[in-house]
Amino acid sequence: MYFELAQQSNIDFPKHFEMNNFVLSTDLGWSQVDGTYGKIIYKGYAYQDLPACLISLDPENPESIHGSFTAIIQKNNKIYIVTDNTREFPIYFDRRKVVITNLTKHQDTAWPDTSLQIDCENNVINSQYKGIDFVPGEQKDINSTTNKTLDILNNSVSTYISKCKDPIRIVPTGGLDSTLMIALLKQNNANFEVIDYEYKKWTYFRWKNGEKIKKENGPWTRYGHTWGETPVTLAHGWMGDQYFFRDYLPLAVLCKSKNIDLKQEFKRFEGSYCYEHLCEDMEQRQSSWQEITKEIVDQKSAYKKIFEIIRGSFLWWTFEKTTYWSPYKDLEILKHVLHLSIEDLLQNAFHGTIQTKMLEIVDPNLLDCITEKKNKHEFDQAMYTKYINTLLKY
């Protein structure tokens, strides 16, 4: 879902669209429709009819849409960059050069809580911040939160497979989130394939920009799968860590706001499923934590920061015509998890309680496919054979 909006085309992109006195350069997979207010160029998906929604959308006052998409919309002498309500990537811009892109870094960065538009008449980039004000309601127990979350996930999976007709593939990683994803696909009668290989189809855009993407967005963007010009959906468990607090920074912010000594909690949960993962994450995030902690003065500022962190966590969204799809990318899930008691939330962070309970409900046979430690694939031969024999049924 890469693009650059500038006053001239960028030859590093294979596609180019004229919009007012600007040129939109994109990777493969973007579509064009005529909307109520002008031309619309878009890419991605939503859990509703995305083209129909965009056609009538007023880009000055866009409604909140759940999915994973980017739309570049004309209205009069302005061009608006409109995204879903959980955009998981930064957009870079340069006010002097009048350039907006998500491929390479520029002078300024718009995180997911900031939207951008270009005033084409005056060649000016305008930005608007819109955070999420979250106020928790009545506390919920772990079982009701599990059931509600499972309902959300099943609804998202069912809706997606009814609208998306591309082949669906998934890699079994041995993690809770990807294994639960396999179970949800099966339960919803999806036509999908469990794959055990990496596939990287070369395209012009990938050849020109692969190293730039790794450099600008970090080593975690070393994509393992892209089918190039062939439309494919890669289902995965990414964002489960963030939305269920198995990520250090949002967990640390929440604990600080509730006067919980997280270092002591690490001692209490030593040896748990997520313990090593969270320890490694804590070591890598210390400099970020030192900056963030200055902003946490009360629970309101803590919740605001939690949403900023999670919405700003990088996620592969669409590379060429390969759609990276995760139903865990859902603010409603995050809101339900935040209604847990702090003890239930810590248990979930270190043990993956909610995912385990959901897997027990959907397909307990797949519990055999979960590694003992998160992101630690330490199989002996017996474990490996059991793992493969179970997954071959899917």
Side-chain angles (χ1 to χ4, degrees), residues 1 3 5 30 39-44 50 53-54 57-65 68-75 79-87 89 91 100 112 114-117:
M1 204 183 299
F3 71 91
L5 188 59
W30 293 70
K39 186 186 297 183
I40 300 171
I41 315 294
Y42 72 95
K43 182 178 181 179
L50 182 57
C53 181
L54 291 175
L57 186 75
D58 182 352
E60 285 189 84
N61 299 289
E63 61 180 287
S64 177
I65 301 175
S68 182
F69 71 88
T70 299
I72 316 299
I73 304 177
Q74 284 180 329
K75 182 178 180 182
I79 303 174
Y80 296 81
I81 289 81
V82 177
T83 65
D84 59 274
N85 62 6
T86 50
R87 168 165 67 89
F89 58 89
I91 297 177
I100 299 177
T114 301
S115 60
L116 297 173
Q117 60 166 268

Coordinates of all heavy atoms in Angstrom, one line a residue, residues 1 3 5 30 39-44 50 53-54 57-65 68-75 79-87 89 91 100 112 114-117:
M1 N 0.8 -1.2 0.0 CA 0.0 0.0 0.0 C 0.9 1.2 0.0 O 0.7 2.2 0.7 CB -0.9 0.0 1.2 CG -2.2 0.8 1.1 SD -3.2 0.8 2.5 CE -3.6 -0.9 2.8
F3 N 2.7 4.6 -1.5 CA 2.4 5.7 -2.4 C 3.3 6.9 -2.2 O 3.9 7.0 -1.1 CB 0.9 6.1 -2.2 CG 0.7 6.8 -0.9 CD1 0.7 8.2 -0.8 CD2 0.4 6.1 0.3 CE1 0.5 8.9 0.4 CE2 0.1 6.8 1.5 CZ 0.2 8.2 1.6
L5 N 2.7 11.2 -3.1 CA 1.9 12.3 -3.7 C 2.8 13.5 -3.8 O 3.3 14.0 -2.7 CB 0.7 12.6 -2.8 CG -0.4 13.6 -3.3 CD1 -0.9 13.1 -4.6 CD2 -1.5 13.8 -2.3
W30 N -3.7 -0.7 -6.7 CA -4.6 0.4 -6.4 C -5.7 0.5 -7.4 O -5.5 0.1 -8.6 CB -3.9 1.7 -6.4 CG -2.9 1.9 -5.3 CD1 -1.7 1.2 -5.1 CD2 -3.0 2.7 -4.1 NE1 -1.1 1.5 -3.9 CE2 -1.8 2.5 -3.3 CE3 -3.9 3.7 -3.7 CZ2 -1.6 3.2 -2.1 CZ3 -3.7 4.4 -2.5 CH2 -2.5 4.1 -1.7
K39 N -12.2 12.5 -7.8 CA -11.5 11.2 -8.1 C -11.1 10.6 -6.8 O -10.6 11.3 -5.8 CB -10.3 11.5 -9.0 CG -9.5 10.3 -9.4 CD -8.3 10.7 -10.2 CE -8.6 11.4 -11.5 NZ -7.4 11.7 -12.2
I40 N -11.1 9.3 -6.7 CA -10.7 8.5 -5.5 C -9.7 7.4 -6.0 O -10.1 6.6 -6.9 CB -11.8 7.9 -4.8 CG1 -12.8 9.0 -4.3 CG2 -11.4 7.1 -3.6 CD1 -14.1 8.4 -3.7
I41 N -8.5 7.3 -5.5 CA -7.6 6.2 -5.7 C -7.4 5.5 -4.4 O -7.1 6.1 -3.4 CB -6.2 6.7 -6.2 CG1 -6.4 7.8 -7.3 CG2 -5.4 5.6 -6.7 CD1 -7.0 7.3 -8.6
Y42 N -7.7 4.2 -4.3 CA -7.6 3.5 -3.1 C -7.0 2.1 -3.2 O -6.9 1.5 -4.3 CB -9.0 3.4 -2.5 CG -9.9 2.4 -3.2 CD1 -10.1 1.1 -2.7 CD2 -10.6 2.8 -4.3 CE1 -10.9 0.2 -3.4 CE2 -11.5 1.9 -5.0 CZ -11.6 0.6 -4.5 OH -12.4 -0.3 -5.2
K43 N -6.7 1.6 -2.0 CA -6.1 0.2 -2.0 C -6.4 -0.3 -0.6 O -6.3 0.4 0.4 CB -4.6 0.2 -2.3 CG -4.0 -1.2 -2.3 CD -2.5 -1.2 -2.6 CE -1.9 -2.6 -2.6 NZ -0.5 -2.5 -3.0
G44 N -6.7 -1.6 -0.5 CA -6.9 -2.3 0.8 C -8.3 -2.8 0.9 O -9.0 -3.1 -0.1
L50 N -16.2 -1.4 0.6 CA -15.3 -0.2 0.6 C -15.5 0.8 -0.5 O -15.6 2.0 -0.3 CB -13.8 -0.7 0.7 CG -12.8 0.4 0.7 CD1 -13.0 1.3 2.0 CD2 -11.4 -0.2 0.8
C53 N -18.6 2.8 0.1 CA -18.5 3.7 1.2 C -17.6 4.9 0.8 O -18.0 6.1 1.2 CB -17.8 3.0 2.4 SG -17.6 4.0 3.9
L54 N -16.5 4.7 0.1 CA -15.7 5.8 -0.3 C -16.3 6.7 -1.3 O -16.1 7.9 -1.2 CB -14.4 5.2 -0.9 CG -13.4 4.5 0.0 CD1 -12.3 3.9 -0.8 CD2 -12.9 5.4 1.1
L57 N -18.2 9.2 0.7 CA -17.5 9.7 1.9 C -17.1 11.2 1.6 O -16.5 11.5 0.6 CB -16.3 8.9 2.1 CG -15.5 9.2 3.4 CD1 -16.2 8.7 4.6 CD2 -14.1 8.6 3.3
D58 N -17.3 12.0 2.7 CA -16.9 13.4 2.7 C -15.5 13.4 3.3 O -15.4 13.2 4.5 CB -17.8 14.3 3.4 CG -17.4 15.7 3.4 OD1 -16.2 16.0 2.9 OD2 -18.1 16.6 3.9
P59 N -14.4 13.6 2.6 CA -13.1 13.5 3.1 C -12.8 14.5 4.2 O -11.8 14.4 5.0 CB -12.1 13.7 1.9 CG -13.0 14.4 0.9 CD -14.4 14.0 1.1
E60 N -13.5 15.6 4.2 CA -13.4 16.6 5.3 C -13.8 16.1 6.6 O -13.3 16.5 7.7 CB -14.1 17.9 4.9 CG -13.4 18.7 3.9 CD -14.1 20.1 3.7 OE1 -13.8 21.0 4.5 OE2 -15.0 20.2 2.9
N61 N -14.8 15.2 6.6 CA -15.4 14.7 7.9 C -15.6 13.2 7.7 O -16.7 12.7 7.7 CB -16.7 15.4 8.2 CG -16.6 16.9 8.4 OD1 -16.0 17.3 9.4 ND2 -17.1 17.6 7.5
P62 N -14.5 12.4 7.5 CA -14.7 11.0 7.2 C -15.2 10.2 8.5 O -14.8 10.5 9.6 CB -13.2 10.6 6.9 CG -12.4 11.6 7.6 CD -13.1 12.9 7.6
E63 N -16.0 9.2 8.2 CA -16.5 8.4 9.3 C -15.4 7.4 9.6 O -14.5 7.1 8.8 CB -17.7 7.6 8.8 CG -17.5 6.7 7.6 CD -18.8 6.0 7.2 OE1 -19.2 5.0 7.9 OE2 -19.4 6.3 6.2
S64 N -15.5 6.8 10.8 CA -14.5 5.8 11.2 C -14.8 4.5 10.6 O -15.9 3.9 10.7 CB -14.5 5.7 12.7 OG -13.6 4.7 13.2
I65 N -13.9 3.9 9.8 CA -14.1 2.7 9.0 C -13.1 1.6 9.5 O -11.9 1.9 9.5 CB -14.0 2.9 7.5 CG1 -15.0 4.0 7.1 CG2 -14.2 1.6 6.8 CD1 -14.9 4.3 5.6
S68 N -8.4 -2.1 6.6 CA -7.0 -1.8 6.4 C -6.9 -1.2 5.0 O -6.7 -2.0 4.0 CB -6.0 -3.0 6.5 OG -4.7 -2.6 6.3
F69 N -7.0 0.1 4.8 CA -7.0 0.7 3.5 C -6.4 2.1 3.5 O -6.3 2.7 4.6 CB -8.4 0.7 2.9 CG -9.3 1.7 3.6 CD1 -9.3 3.1 3.2 CD2 -10.1 1.4 4.7 CE1 -10.2 4.0 3.8 CE2 -10.9 2.3 5.3 CZ -10.9 3.6 4.9
T70 N -6.0 2.6 2.4 CA -5.6 4.0 2.2 C -6.4 4.5 1.0 O -6.4 3.8 -0.1 CB -4.1 4.2 2.0 OG1 -3.5 3.7 3.1 CG2 -3.7 5.6 1.8
A71 N -7.0 5.7 1.1 CA -7.7 6.3 -0.1 C -7.2 7.7 -0.2 O -7.1 8.5 0.7 CB -9.2 6.3 0.2
I72 N -6.8 8.1 -1.5 CA -6.5 9.4 -1.8 C -7.7 10.1 -2.5 O -8.1 9.6 -3.6 CB -5.2 9.5 -2.7 CG1 -4.1 8.5 -2.2 CG2 -4.7 10.9 -2.8 CD1 -3.6 8.8 -0.8
I73 N -8.2 11.1 -1.9 CA -9.5 11.6 -2.4 C -9.4 13.1 -2.7 O -9.0 13.9 -1.9 CB -10.6 11.4 -1.3 CG1 -10.7 9.9 -0.9 CG2 -12.0 11.9 -1.7 CD1 -11.7 9.6 0.2
Q74 N -10.0 13.4 -3.9 CA -10.1 14.8 -4.3 C -11.4 15.5 -3.8 O -12.4 14.8 -3.7 CB -10.1 15.0 -5.8 CG -8.8 14.8 -6.5 CD -9.0 14.9 -8.0 OE1 -10.1 14.6 -8.6 NE2 -8.0 15.4 -8.8
K75 N -11.3 16.7 -3.3 CA -12.5 17.5 -3.1 C -12.1 19.0 -3.3 O -11.3 19.5 -2.6 CB -13.0 17.3 -1.6 CG -14.3 18.1 -1.4 CD -14.8 17.9 0.0 CE -16.1 18.8 0.2 NZ -16.6 18.7 1.6
I79 N -6.6 17.7 -1.7 CA -6.4 16.2 -1.8 C -6.2 15.7 -0.4 O -5.4 16.2 0.3 CB -5.2 15.8 -2.7 CG1 -5.3 16.4 -4.1 CG2 -5.1 14.3 -2.7 CD1 -4.1 16.2 -4.9
Y80 N -7.1 14.7 0.0 CA -7.1 14.2 1.3 C -6.5 12.8 1.4 O -6.8 12.0 0.5 CB -8.5 14.2 1.9 CG -9.1 15.5 2.0 CD1 -9.7 16.2 0.9 CD2 -9.2 16.2 3.3 CE1 -10.3 17.4 1.1 CE2 -9.8 17.4 3.4 CZ -10.3 18.0 2.3 OH -10.9 19.3 2.5
I81 N -5.7 12.4 2.4 CA -5.3 11.1 2.6 C -6.1 10.5 3.7 O -6.1 11.0 4.9 CB -3.8 11.0 3.0 CG1 -2.9 11.4 1.8 CG2 -3.4 9.6 3.5 CD1 -2.7 12.8 1.5
V82 N -7.0 9.5 3.3 CA -8.0 9.0 4.3 C -7.6 7.5 4.5 O -7.3 6.8 3.5 CB -9.4 9.1 3.7 CG1 -10.4 8.4 4.6 CG2 -9.8 10.5 3.5
T83 N -7.6 7.1 5.7 CA -7.3 5.7 6.0 C -8.3 5.1 7.0 O -9.2 5.8 7.5 CB -5.9 5.6 6.7 OG1 -5.9 6.2 8.0 CG2 -4.8 6.2 5.8
D84 N -8.2 3.8 7.2 CA -9.0 3.1 8.2 C -8.7 3.6 9.6 O -7.7 4.4 9.8 CB -8.8 1.6 8.1 CG -7.3 1.2 8.4 OD1 -6.5 1.2 7.5 OD2 -7.0 0.9 9.6
N85 N -9.5 3.2 10.6 CA -9.3 3.8 11.9 C -8.2 3.1 12.7 O -7.9 3.5 13.9 CB -10.6 3.6 12.7 CG -11.1 2.2 12.9 OD1 -10.4 1.3 12.6 ND2 -12.3 2.1 13.5
T86 N -7.5 2.2 12.1 CA -6.3 1.6 12.8 C -5.1 1.5 11.9 O -4.4 0.5 11.8 CB -6.6 0.1 13.3 OG1 -7.2 -0.6 12.2 CG2 -7.6 0.1 14.5
R87 N -4.9 2.6 11.2 CA -3.7 2.7 10.3 C -2.4 2.4 11.1 O -2.1 3.0 12.1 CB -3.6 4.1 9.7 CG -2.2 4.3 9.0 CD -2.2 5.6 8.1 NE -2.4 6.8 8.8 CZ -1.4 7.6 9.3 NH1 -0.1 7.1 9.2 NH2 -1.6 8.7 9.9
F89 N 0.8 2.4 10.1 CA 2.1 2.8 9.5 C 2.2 4.3 9.5 O 1.2 5.0 9.5 CB 2.2 2.2 8.1 CG 1.1 2.7 7.1 CD1 1.2 3.9 6.4 CD2 -0.1 1.9 7.0 CE1 0.2 4.3 5.6 CE2 -1.1 2.3 6.2 CZ -1.0 3.5 5.4
I91 N 3.2 8.0 8.0 CA 3.2 8.7 6.7 C 4.2 9.9 6.8 O 4.1 10.6 7.8 CB 1.9 9.2 6.3 CG1 0.9 8.1 6.1 CG2 2.0 10.0 5.0 CD1 -0.5 8.5 5.7
I100 N 4.2 13.9 0.1 CA 3.6 13.0 1.1 C 3.8 11.6 0.7 O 3.5 11.2 -0.5 CB 2.1 13.3 1.4 CG1 1.8 14.7 1.9 CG2 1.5 12.3 2.4 CD1 0.4 15.0 2.0
P112 N -0.5 7.5 13.1 CA -1.9 7.2 12.8 C -3.0 8.1 13.4 O -4.1 8.1 12.9 CB -2.1 5.8 13.4 CG -0.7 5.2 13.2 CD 0.2 6.3 13.6
T114 N -2.8 11.3 13.2 CA -2.7 12.5 12.5 C -3.1 12.3 11.0 O -2.5 11.5 10.3 CB -1.3 13.1 12.6 OG1 -1.0 13.3 14.0 CG2 -1.2 14.5 11.8
S115 N -4.0 13.1 10.5 CA -4.4 13.0 9.1 C -3.8 14.2 8.3 O -3.5 15.2 8.8 CB -5.9 13.0 8.9 OG -6.5 14.2 9.4
L116 N -3.6 14.0 7.0 CA -3.0 15.0 6.1 C -3.9 15.3 4.9 O -4.7 14.5 4.5 CB -1.6 14.4 5.6 CG -0.6 14.1 6.6 CD1 0.6 13.4 6.0 CD2 -0.1 15.3 7.4
Q117 N -3.7 16.5 4.4 CA -4.3 17.0 3.2 C -3.4 18.0 2.5 O -2.6 18.6 3.2 CB -5.7 17.6 3.5 CG -5.6 18.8 4.4 CD -6.8 19.7 4.4 OE1 -7.0 20.6 3.6 NE2 -7.7 19.3 5.3

